[in-house]
Amino acid sequence: MLNELLNPALFRHDTTFDDLYPEHIQEMSQMHWTPVGIAKKAGDFLAIPHARVLDIGSGVGKFCITAGFFHPETTFCGIEQREELYTFAEITKAEMELPNVRFIHGNLTELEFKDYDHFYFYNSFYENIEPDSRIDYSIRTSFELYDRYSRFVYQMLEEKPPETRLVTFHAPDAQIPPGYQLVNNSYNRVLKMWIKQ
Ligand SMILES: C[S@@+](CC[C@H](N)C(=O)[O-])C[C@H]1O[C@@H](n2cnc3c(N)ncnc32)[C@H](O)[C@@H]1O
């Protein structure tokens, strides 16, 4: 059953949803946060009942909150390295009372990936190689970190069992191990859905 405290209209337009956040976070939305329509579509694909889905680099929580609202039987977790973004995700989640949504503050390299079944990835490391896409200056960025994080996620995905689902948004295919089969490709080929064989 959908959360009765919430109006589904909140998830119809990005501007309505983004109003939940302070202005400087709203201004970053177009470039850095998943649009609600994409989050809903990605969530529909990843929401296997009772599974745990991880958003790798969850920002202010837009993907997890949207997907979690429409799929109360699936747990959506996000890990975010920036404390400020993590805090806004937690505040918004608390306002909405979504018990199936969780956020962790930390670096994804510290995470136990065996605790998660399926994954969402919005090209989270790009700011390490493209200075114009920097979110802020609260963390260090470098080419070396881009490689390190990309290799980490690649290896983690490689170790996952068959039937593992993955959605990538604006992410290069080179970051996906060959065992993952592309099963859907939309929004001008920037939204991709994969299943491990
Ligand atoms: C493009 S944003 C996407 C945010 C969110 N997934 C969404 O779709 O709205 C990528 C986020 O990943 C975070 N991130 C990048 N590298 C990370 C790492 N190594 N550990 C945790 N978070 C990371 C960034 O701080 C940023 O907030």
Side-chain angles (χ1 to χ4, degrees), residues 16-191:
T16 316
F17 186 90
D18 292 345
D19 273 348
L20 295 166
Y21 298 95
E23 212 170 302
H24 72 289
I25 298 291
Q26 293 175 30
E27 282 163 10
M28 287 187 247
S29 183
Q30 204 182 352
M31 185 159 184
H32 295 292
W33 321 136
T34 300
V36 282
I38 302 270
K40 189 167 178 310
K41 207 167 156 76
D44 290 347
F45 178 73
L46 294 170
I48 309 295
H50 313 297
R52 294 152 302 176
V53 175
L54 179 73
D55 181 3
I56 302 169
S58 47
V60 290
K62 208 166 160 183
F63 165 72
C64 288
I65 289 170
T66 305
F69 170 77
F70 288 103
H71 299 284
E73 288 180 358
T74 303
T75 301
F76 290 89
C77 301
I79 179 148
E80 172 53 51
Q81 62 182 344
R82 288 180 161 93
E83 190 168 8
E84 186 199 20
L85 304 184
Y86 157 79
T87 303
F88 285 126
E90 280 286 26
I91 292 170
T92 310
K93 184 200 99 165
E95 281 168 1
M96 297 201 177
E97 298 187 22
L98 293 169
N100 59 326
V101 174
R102 264 187 65 209
F103 294 107
I104 301 163
H105 176 224
N107 196 297
L108 71 100
T109 53
E110 296 151 13
L111 205 60
E112 276 292 356
F113 275 97
K114 67 171 173 37
D115 294 344
Y116 304 94
D117 307 303
H118 307 292
F119 301 89
Y120 177 72
F121 182 66
Y122 178 1
N123 205 12
S124 297
F125 315 135
Y126 191 57
E127 62 179 326
N128 284 287
I129 56 171
E130 177 47 70
D132 286 347
S133 76
R134 234 181 193 285
I135 292 179
D136 61 31
Y137 289 85
S138 68
I139 53 141
R140 199 166 58 87
T141 57
S142 69
F143 283 89
E144 189 268 328
L145 282 175
Y146 181 86
D147 281 342
R148 198 172 134 222
Y149 295 152
S150 301
R151 269 188 274 114
F152 186 90
V153 168
Y154 188 98
Q155 190 180 341
M156 177 280 291
L157 290 173
E158 204 162 39
E159 287 168 11
K160 284 286 159 190
E163 300 303 320
T164 298
R165 289 180 174 225
L166 167 72
V167 174
T168 56
F169 185 46
H170 286 284
D173 291 355
Q175 290 190 337
I176 317 303
Y180 285 76
Q181 188 182 357
L182 185 63
V183 294
N184 198 311
N185 195 350
S186 52
Y187 290 88
N188 283 331
R189 305 167 74 87
V190 294
L191 181 69

